[in-house]
């Protein structure tokens, strides 16, 4: 009889573990369901790509851009409809969100970005044409902005560089530029760099941007231009220089239709992806590893109006095997299997979600 006790113990332990709600070591997807004024929480199975909804948290208004602290304990959201910023505590064992702490941001935020120290949240305002910086204390955004700087209409995003000494604000529409700023992570202040901005190409309208992992190249997605621009980055001066622009749509697409939205670079630096609304697709590019220049690998259809998408990190840095795209126009999420070697995307399954998904972000809890 005693010989069965170890087996019985292991069986019971396995059963108890299977009942645990913990997300530890798993992947969590956060989705801004703007039309329902909430942030949804999903788990993603790294073996199959299957999504499972785990809950949601209501906000005072419509959430948009999201960011997460380096320690994975606080989620930050732009609440555009109420001109607010929200800090939501994250349960490190479940990925679930607690009650939001609301802070007036000083401007109506379309984009939130956390600096490398985790002490500052940088925001951009599309309607007010400004960028601002607010302080983070004990993980919570507190008080009014320490600085607000007018940069011009349709400021659509903001990013710091790898050194955390410079910041950039792409402007879509008629201003068609990327504001270049000097950033002080000690005081939380910034000022214009020299030159103060990078002009966009004819009719481009840069919207979002991402640094290559090597820190030497930057990729801009152009809203009006339906294209991606590759720039060289000078890490000493904090300035960009345009090198190449490639379209996100096929040559036979009506260039008066559609607009680009989001852009991401794979963690290994070998591929770039960009979304185009109207054409409703994700464009894929291979990256030349010596020059950073892009070669088109074609487009993959998405759900309607792919405003936001994300590359899903693999466990323990194993590479991004999945991409999730939010269909703002179809209230749905679509999961793609990503071939790490070729960059190719293969659709797996579509899931209904809340109204107007405006942002999607994946986080791996180790």
């Amino acid at each position: 009889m005693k010989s069965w006790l170890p087996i019985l113990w292991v069986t019971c332990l396995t059963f108890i573990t299977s009942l645990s709600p913990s997300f530890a070591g798993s992947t969590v997807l956060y989705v801004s369901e703007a039309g329902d004024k909430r942030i949804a929480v999903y788990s993603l199975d790294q073996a199959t790509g299957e999504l499972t909804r785990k809950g949601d948290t209501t906000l005072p208004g419509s959430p948009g851009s999201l960011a997460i602290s380096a320690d994975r304990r606080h989620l930050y959201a732009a609440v555009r409809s109420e001109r607010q910023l929200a800090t939501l505590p994250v349960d490190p064992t479940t990925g679930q969100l607690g009650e939001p702490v609301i802070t007036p941001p000083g401007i109506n935020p379309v984009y939130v970005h956390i600096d490398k120290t985790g002490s500052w949240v940088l925001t951009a305002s599309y309607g007010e044409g400004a960028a601002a910086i607010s302080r983070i204390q004990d993980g919570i955004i507190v008080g009014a902005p320490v600085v607000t700087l007018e940069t011009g209409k349709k400021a659509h995003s903001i990013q710091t560089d790898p050194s955390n000494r410079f910041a950039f604000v792409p402007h879509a529409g008629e201003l068609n530029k990327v504001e270049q700023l000097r950033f002080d992570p000690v005081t939380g202040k910034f000022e214009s760099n020299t030159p103060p901005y990078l002009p966009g190409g004819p009719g481009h309208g840069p919207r979002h941007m991402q640094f290559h992992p090597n820190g030497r190249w930057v990729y801009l997605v152009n809203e009006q231009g339906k294209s991606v621009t590759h720039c060289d980055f000078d890490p000493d001066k904090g300035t960009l220089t345009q090198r190449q622009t490639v379209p996100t749509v096929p040559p036979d697409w009506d260039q008066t239709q559609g607009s680009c939205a989001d852009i991401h670079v794979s963690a290994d630096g070998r591929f770039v992806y960009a979304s185009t609304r109207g054409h409703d697709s994700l464009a894929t590019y291979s990256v030349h590893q010596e020059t950073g220049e892009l070669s088109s690998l074609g487009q993959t259809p998405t759900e309607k109006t792919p405003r936001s998408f994300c590359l899903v990190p693999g466990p323990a840095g194993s590479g991004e095997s999945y991409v999730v795209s939010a269909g703002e126009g179809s209230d749905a999420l679509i999961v793609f299997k990503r071939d790490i070697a070729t960059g190719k995307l293969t659709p797996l399954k579509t899931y209904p979600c809340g109204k107007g998904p405006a942002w999607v972000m994946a986080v791996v809890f180790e």
Side-chain angles (χ1 to χ4, degrees):
M1 185 69 177
K2 290 182 180 180
S3 62
W4 290 98
L5 290 177
I7 297 175
L8 181 61
W9 169 248
V10 171
T11 302
C12 291
L13 182 60
T14 301
F15 177 71
I16 292 170
T17 302
S18 70
L19 294 179
S20 170
S22 174
F23 280 10
S26 296
T27 303
V28 178
L29 194 75
Y30 297 104
V31 181
S32 290
E33 297 177 335
D36 292 319
K37 300 181 180 180
R38 66 192 182 199
I39 298 174
V41 181
Y42 291 81
S43 67
L44 184 142
D45 188 325
Q46 289 277 0
T48 64
E50 188 78 16
L51 285 181
T52 303
R53 192 179 182 102
K54 294 293 184 176
D56 52 65
T57 297
T58 301
L59 293 174
S62 301
S65 172
L66 303 175
I68 196 163
S69 61
D71 63 5
R72 306 294 195 261
R73 290 181 178 270
H74 294 91
L75 184 76
Y76 306 101
V79 188
R80 292 185 67 185
S81 63
E82 297 297 318
R83 299 173 52 86
Q84 296 172 337
L85 291 171
T87 304
L88 298 97
V90 179
D91 186 321
T93 63
T94 67
Q96 293 288 3
L97 302 175
E99 288 299 312
V101 178
I102 304 299
T103 307
I107 60 175
N108 193 356
V110 68
Y111 199 97
V112 292
H113 173 77
I114 310 303
D115 89 307
K116 304 298 188 295
T117 70
S119 299
W120 308 102
V121 57
L122 286 67
T123 59
S125 173
Y126 182 87
E128 292 159 299
I133 302 176
S134 298
R135 188 181 301 275
I136 297 175
Q137 290 183 343
D138 298 323
I140 308 296
I141 302 171
V142 296
V146 298
V147 63
T148 300
L149 179 69
E150 282 193 28
T151 58
K153 293 181 178 180
K154 300 183 180 179
H156 223 303
S157 62
I158 187 165
Q159 289 263 326
T160 53
D161 78 305
S163 75
N164 212 39
R165 297 186 299 123
F166 303 100
F168 301 88
V169 185
H171 291 67
E174 58 272 21
L175 283 186
N176 189 28
K177 66 173 183 175
V178 179
E179 196 80 4
Q180 302 184 139
L181 305 168
R182 293 183 177 273
F183 171 61
D184 185 340
V186 176
T187 63
K189 303 291 180 67
F190 50 30
E191 61 184 10
S192 292
N193 201 350
T194 304
Y197 63 88
L198 169 76
H204 282 184
R207 174 185 168 103
H208 287 181
M209 63 180 285
Q210 293 291 339
F211 277 85
H212 187 275
N214 67 15
R216 295 186 288 113
W217 305 323
V218 166
Y219 299 97
L220 306 168
V221 65
N222 300 308
E223 183 173 287
Q224 286 75 45
K226 293 170 284 295
S227 59
V228 171
T229 296
H230 161 223
C231 298
D232 291 318
F233 173 62
D234 186 324
D236 296 319
K237 297 179 180 178
T239 55
L240 303 174
T241 302
Q242 290 189 42
R243 174 183 286 198
Q244 175 201 29
T245 296
V246 291
T248 63
V249 292
D252 58 354
W253 175 255
D254 181 354
Q255 294 297 317
T256 65
Q257 302 297 313
S259 62
C260 282
D262 204 4
I263 187 166
H264 292 284
V265 183
S266 63
D268 61 10
R270 298 178 57 223
F271 300 97
V272 171
Y273 300 86
S275 63
T276 306
R277 299 167 294 186
H279 190 257
D280 294 342
S281 65
L282 295 181
T284 303
Y285 308 92
S286 62
V287 179
H288 192 291
Q289 295 302 289
E290 293 183 4
T291 67
E293 293 190 352
L294 302 177
S295 297
S296 176
L297 299 178
Q299 298 80 25
T300 304
T302 64
E303 282 294 300
K304 186 177 180 181
T305 320
R307 178 173 180 171
S308 176
F309 72 96
C310 67
L311 276 65
V312 180
S318 59
E320 304 108 326
S321 295
Y322 300 98
V323 171
V324 180
S325 176
E328 187 181 33
S330 57
D331 301 334
L333 306 173
I334 182 170
V335 179
F336 298 92
K337 180 68 175 177
R338 191 178 85 92
D339 188 314
I340 295 175
T342 67
K344 180 181 177 181
L345 303 180
T346 301
L348 294 180
K349 189 174 179 180
T350 296
Y351 301 82
C353 66
K355 296 177 182 178
W359 202 267
V360 59
M361 180 179 69
V363 179
V364 173
F365 287 80
E366 301 294 348

